[in-house]
Amino acid sequence: MKRKISIFRYLILTLILCFWCSDVFAYEVCKYGDKNIKWNASSVTYYINTSGGPSDSLTAIQNGMNTWTNVSSADFTFVYGGTTTSTANGSNDGYNIVTFGGGLGSGTLAVNTTWYSTLTGYIVDSDIKFNTSYTWGTTGSASVYDVQNIGTHEFGHTLCLKDLYSSADSEKTMYGYGAAGETKKRTLDTDDISGIAYLYPASTGGLPTAATLISPSGTITTTTPTYTWNAVSTASYYQLYVNGSGTWYTASAAGCSSGSGTCSITGSALTAGSYTWYVQTYNSYGYGPWSSGMGFTVSNLPPSCPDLYSWNGGGYLNNGSLYTGSHSPEQEYYQERLVTQPVVERNNTLTFMIKEVDDEISHINSVAMYYRNSGNSWAELDLIYAVHNKAGDVRESLRKRDNNRAYTAPGDEILLTYRVPLGGVENAEFKSISSGYYLWSAETWCQILDLGPAITVQPGVIATLLARINNMSAFELPEDARVYFNIQGPGGYSSNNIFSISVELLAPGNPQWYSINWTVPDDAPAGQYYYSASVYIGKKNITWARDAGVQDIPTVSKNKQEGAKAGSSCQ
Amino acid sequence: MIGMGTEELTRESGVIIRGEVAEVKAQWSEDGKTIITRANIVITNIIKGETISNMITVEYEGGEIGEIGLRVSDVSPLNTGEDVILFLNKSAESRIIGDVHNIVGKAQGKYTISKDGIAEKSGFSVIGGESIIDNNISANELIDKINRVK
């Protein structure tokens, strides 16, 4: 839609310009009937006979030709064919000449004689003659008529531009009035340029061609995609259009000022959804065509990862996510994180911290820290301590990639302490290489649908506790998923999360019963017991909290040393 | 061309008329090297001089014959039906046979009268004429100026 609006604006601008043109008669062209009289060629050759002219007239005449030739928005070239002795001015001989001579009558400075076909309007011959009844010069001297000044005007007639008379046209080469010593007609006005460009427009090669798009396409998982397209050699600007708006960038800003290779722009943030993007080209000739559209979809994004902090002498500064690339549940990657914040040693150690973000539990296989001083290769730092704020020492868990992993729940921190290597780390760079994946995000939940019936138990008897669990997420539960049973009883009896069983691979939407056996202790006091169940991934409780308050109240057992009945609740 | 004001044009002209262009016909010159156009003008007002009839023939270089056309700078062709004021002299060097007149100062000696009575010039380049040439003035005002010169 926006693209249409842009084109509409362009049309409006064009209309405004056209009105403006007609209002001041920017230029006028020769007509025969409804035909423009013009050359049916992009070049015309002139031969010059300077006999009777001033000494530098050859150069002055060629300068006048080149002035028109050099108009980049037009495709027309005046070719100097050499000198000639011909004086056949006005003859329709297909031999275009510039001469000096008399016989033009009083008052005529120069005359342009142009032959053309009435069938096509195409010019077949055009001669120019300067009247030697007047004094000519080439330096702009006030007392004489300037060859280049009048010559440039006459070559405008060769193109078949007509004289202009409005005072608004006074600075134009095609202005019909002039004066001795005048030189301003040597330089074209923008309307003169528009005139030649109208009659002899630059080939379509003047306008930039359409860009071809490369990426993004398909499904992406970043909200700030980088848009990449092939450079157009003749484009100096690109308009990137996406998500309802377009923005112009210079080729330099897009990294393709050379006109080759690819152009890239990182766009503004998007929300999840489907988009189509386009690129339009532009250069001094005008607007190029729009590219074909390329569609892409921003998918539901993976959760973020724990951040890596570095100690700067006064506190911990965030260097961003420990995992910098895309990641998904149970897909493990080794990824680098360059440390961009200052790292300051203290007590001959270097301190970093991994801090989990608010909506995630991560499973960290390993974290290795590297440094390099200028000119050296990367070397691994020696890890002295890795202290989890809840789990304590996790150094061994992080040292190598095995099944001994460290977990981080929202807000969890792991303090990493490294030994300062020999030679110090002044001006050193640091980076981490870590592996792991996130285990849980806000979309992963399990629901306790049912608990087992009330039972009566005796000390020493095995009681079976049951829970029916529904996986509400989109994935099978990971290997670290377990259901924990919590028993509460009289006299402050509690067995929080002592009993658990794996619920690994529980498929979404397929509720299953899980059970554990509880051997009633011999010293268990008589009374009413309750149990509840909760599902964890790692150390994150993923029980769907809304169910906690709607579970059945357990039946009370009155027997001596009774066992349990259940109610489920969240921890 | 050198710019000619109304006073100079009037003084240089033997005949000044207002009329309507009745017929325009191009023909090759006697030497066959160029095209000469003759236009017959039905006179509606003799502003200066005398004519032998109410029609006068004007000649200028350029025009179209068959498939070929010739444009000469500083010549403003006459078009059938045009209402014009012409500054004329009898031609002494006509390249085709006949008693004809030339326009004084080439295109400078031709005014086209628009429907709203404005006298307009076009089709020429002049040196020094910007301040002296009357253009886009009413036909009556132009005629008054001519009459004041006579």
Side-chain angles (χ1 to χ4, degrees):
Chain A
M1 183 62 187
K2 181 64 179 180
R3 184 182 178 205
K4 292 179 180 176
I5 291 173
S6 294
I7 293 170
F8 178 74
R9 287 177 176 169
Y10 174 75
L11 290 172
I12 290 295
L13 176 62
T14 302
L15 288 172
I16 291 171
L17 290 172
C18 287
F19 286 135
W20 178 79
C21 289
S22 62
D23 196 33
V24 299
F25 303 102
Y27 58 85
E28 290 188 17
V29 301
C30 312
K31 290 274 191 181
Y32 178 70
D34 59 353
K35 300 183 188 70
N36 289 331
I37 299 175
K38 56 178 286 187
W39 293 89
N40 183 32
S42 59
S43 67
V44 60
T45 300
Y46 265 92
Y47 301 87
I48 300 173
N49 183 348
T50 59
S51 176
S55 58
D56 295 332
S57 55
L58 182 61
T59 299
I61 292 167
Q62 290 182 72
N63 288 344
M65 295 163 64
N66 292 337
T67 297
W68 292 103
T69 296
N70 292 337
V71 175
S72 60
S73 55
D75 184 14
F76 194 89
T77 302
F78 280 100
V79 177
Y80 168 55
T83 59
T84 181
T85 58
S86 172
T87 58
N89 186 276
S91 293
N92 181 19
D93 52 10
Y95 190 71
N96 309 305
I97 60 173
V98 180
T99 60
F100 290 81
L104 297 180
S106 176
T108 299
L109 273 174
V111 65
N112 179 296
T113 307
T114 298
W115 294 87
Y116 58 93
S117 165
T118 56
L119 296 177
T120 62
Y122 293 146
I123 299 171
V124 294
D125 185 283
S126 183
D127 298 333
I128 294 171
K129 187 175 186 178
F130 292 88
N131 190 349
T132 51
S133 297
Y134 297 93
T135 305
W136 294 92
T138 58
T139 62
S141 175
S143 59
V144 300
Y145 300 106
D146 186 76
V147 171
Q148 184 176 339
N149 188 63
I150 299 301
T152 306
H153 178 91
E154 294 300 322
F155 283 118
H157 287 316
T158 298
L159 297 167
C160 235
L161 292 172
K162 296 171 71 174
D163 292 307
L164 302 169
Y165 302 102
S166 167
S167 58
D169 302 318
S170 63
E171 300 306 308
K172 300 174 186 175
T173 294
M174 297 316 296
Y175 188 48
Y177 300 109
E182 179 189 82
T183 58
K184 64 183 179 182
K185 288 183 172 62
R186 292 178 175 184
T187 305
L188 302 182
D189 182 84
T190 54
D191 287 337
D192 299 310
I193 292 171
S194 297
I196 184 177
Y198 167 75
L199 287 170
Y200 309 94
S203 62
T204 53
L207 288 173
T209 56
T212 53
L213 310 185
I214 299 175
S215 63
S217 65
T219 300
I220 62 171
T221 56
T222 176
T223 57
T224 54
T226 296
Y227 302 90
T228 304
W229 62 92
N230 289 311
V232 175
S233 61
T234 55
S236 53
Y237 290 85
Y238 296 93
Q239 180 177 198
L240 171 64
Y241 177 83
V242 64
N243 195 27
S245 64
T247 303
W248 284 101
Y249 298 93
T250 63
S252 177
C256 50
S257 57
S258 66
S260 60
T262 59
C263 312
S264 292
I265 289 292
T266 298
S268 55
L270 304 172
T271 57
S274 295
Y275 300 90
T276 302
W277 65 289
Y278 306 83
V279 167
Q280 186 185 22
T281 51
Y282 178 84
N283 65 16
S284 59
Y285 293 96
Y287 297 92
W290 285 92
S291 69
S292 299
M294 177 172 279
F296 66 94
T297 300
V298 178
S299 72
N300 290 323
L301 303 174
S304 55
C305 292
D307 291 330
L308 177 66
Y309 290 72
S310 55
W311 173 263
N312 76 333
Y316 288 97
L317 301 180
N318 193 348
N319 294 280
S321 177
L322 187 63
Y323 309 139
T324 57
S326 61
H327 54 289
S328 58
E330 299 193 82
Q331 292 185 13
E332 189 164 356
Y333 305 91
Y334 283 89
Q335 298 185 12
E336 290 187 3
R337 157 54 65 191
L338 196 64
V339 175
T340 57
Q341 301 287 0
V343 177
V344 177
E345 67 173 90
R346 57 177 172 179
N347 301 325
N348 205 34
T349 64
L350 302 166
T351 310
F352 299 87
M353 182 175 68
I354 296 170
K355 185 174 183 178
E356 187 56 277
V357 295
D358 290 339
D359 60 351
E360 183 183 339
I361 289 175
S362 291
H363 183 166
I364 305 173
N365 268 15
S366 65
V367 175
M369 190 66 68
Y370 293 82
Y371 78 103
R372 70 175 175 188
N373 289 311
S374 178
N376 296 331
S377 58
W378 291 100
E380 186 174 358
L381 289 170
D382 182 22
L383 178 64
I384 304 173
Y385 303 112
V387 180
H388 192 293
N389 64 331
K390 293 178 182 174
D393 184 4
V394 293
R395 183 175 53 173
E396 291 303 317
S397 299
L398 297 181
R399 271 188 166 165
K400 57 180 183 286
R401 183 188 182 195
D402 54 21
N403 289 326
N404 187 11
R405 297 158 181 165
Y407 298 91
T408 52
D412 283 0
E413 298 174 359
I414 300 175
L415 201 61
L416 303 169
T417 304
Y418 295 90
R419 193 186 318 279
V420 174
L422 290 175
V425 291
E426 187 175 1
N427 300 322
E429 294 178 277
F430 297 89
K431 71 176 180 181
S432 69
I433 299 180
S434 58
S435 69
Y437 51 87
Y438 77 93
L439 294 176
W440 168 87
S441 69
E443 293 76 29
T444 306
W445 298 98
C446 279
Q447 184 181 24
I448 308 298
L449 294 178
D450 298 292
L451 293 169
I455 57 175
T456 300
V457 298
Q458 301 287 332
V461 173
I462 295 174
T464 299
L465 309 182
L466 295 162
R468 193 163 71 102
I469 300 170
N470 181 33
N471 177 1
M472 301 166 68
S473 70
F475 306 98
E476 290 182 342
L477 294 180
E479 59 180 295
D480 308 277
R482 301 185 74 82
V483 55
Y484 285 83
F485 291 84
N486 178 28
I487 304 170
Q488 303 288 332
Y493 182 89
S494 175
S495 61
N496 282 343
N497 293 347
I498 291 175
F499 308 102
S500 71
I501 185 170
S502 174
V503 292
E504 179 185 2
L505 302 181
L506 176 61
N510 183 27
Q512 299 291 324
W513 284 100
Y514 292 88
S515 65
I516 59 104
N517 290 327
W518 173 46
T519 301
V520 180
D522 290 339
D523 58 351
Q528 185 177 0
Y529 290 76
Y530 303 91
Y531 74 91
S532 61
S534 300
V535 178
Y536 281 70
I537 296 176
K539 294 186 177 181
K540 173 64 180 176
N541 185 341
I542 63 166
T543 312
W544 194 32
R546 284 191 298 165
D547 274 0
V550 297
Q551 291 297 311
D552 293 338
I553 300 298
T555 302
V556 177
S557 171
K558 298 295 185 183
N559 292 343
K560 182 181 179 181
Q561 296 184 349
E562 292 66 307
K565 168 54 182 139
S568 83
S569 68
C570 288
Q571 301 297 305
Chain B
M1 289 187 296
I2 303 300
M4 301 171 73
T6 300
E7 182 175 343
E8 184 177 4
L9 280 171
T10 301
R11 294 191 191 285
E12 294 290 326
S13 301
V15 178
I16 303 173
I17 57 102
R18 178 173 178 173
E20 182 176 333
V21 180
E23 183 184 19
V24 179
K25 185 176 182 181
Q27 49 193 307
W28 288 104
S29 62
E30 286 186 311
D31 61 9
K33 291 184 177 179
T34 192
I35 294 174
I36 302 295
T37 293
R38 281 185 168 184
N40 292 326
I41 315 297
V42 176
I43 300 170
T44 57
N45 182 13
I46 299 175
I47 304 168
K48 178 183 177 181
E50 295 178 351
T51 64
I52 58 175
S53 73
N54 67 341
M55 182 172 287
I56 195 167
T57 300
V58 175
E59 175 189 287
Y60 54 88
E61 188 176 10
E64 292 84 22
I65 300 175
E67 297 180 2
I68 193 72
L70 172 64
R71 285 185 60 87
V72 179
S73 61
D74 298 334
V75 170
S76 181
L78 293 167
N79 302 301
T80 302
E82 268 188 311
D83 182 6
V84 293
I85 292 176
L86 299 175
F87 295 76
L88 302 170
N89 267 330
K90 199 169 185 178
S91 173
E93 300 178 351
S94 176
R95 286 190 275 185
I96 57 178
I97 299 171
D99 184 13
V100 297
H101 290 77
N102 294 140
I103 300 174
V104 175
K106 293 190 174 177
Q108 294 187 78
K110 173 196 171 188
Y111 283 92
T112 301
I113 313 302
S114 65
K115 289 181 179 178
D116 54 2
I118 301 300
E120 301 169 344
K121 282 188 176 183
S122 66
F124 60 93
S125 300
V126 296
I127 296 294
E130 188 173 8
S131 60
I132 60 172
I133 293 177
D134 291 315
N135 198 1
N136 297 318
I137 65 173
S138 76
N140 291 335
E141 182 182 355
L142 177 63
I143 292 170
D144 286 344
K145 283 192 172 187
I146 295 169
N147 288 330
R148 286 198 293 271
V149 174
K150 286 192 294 186

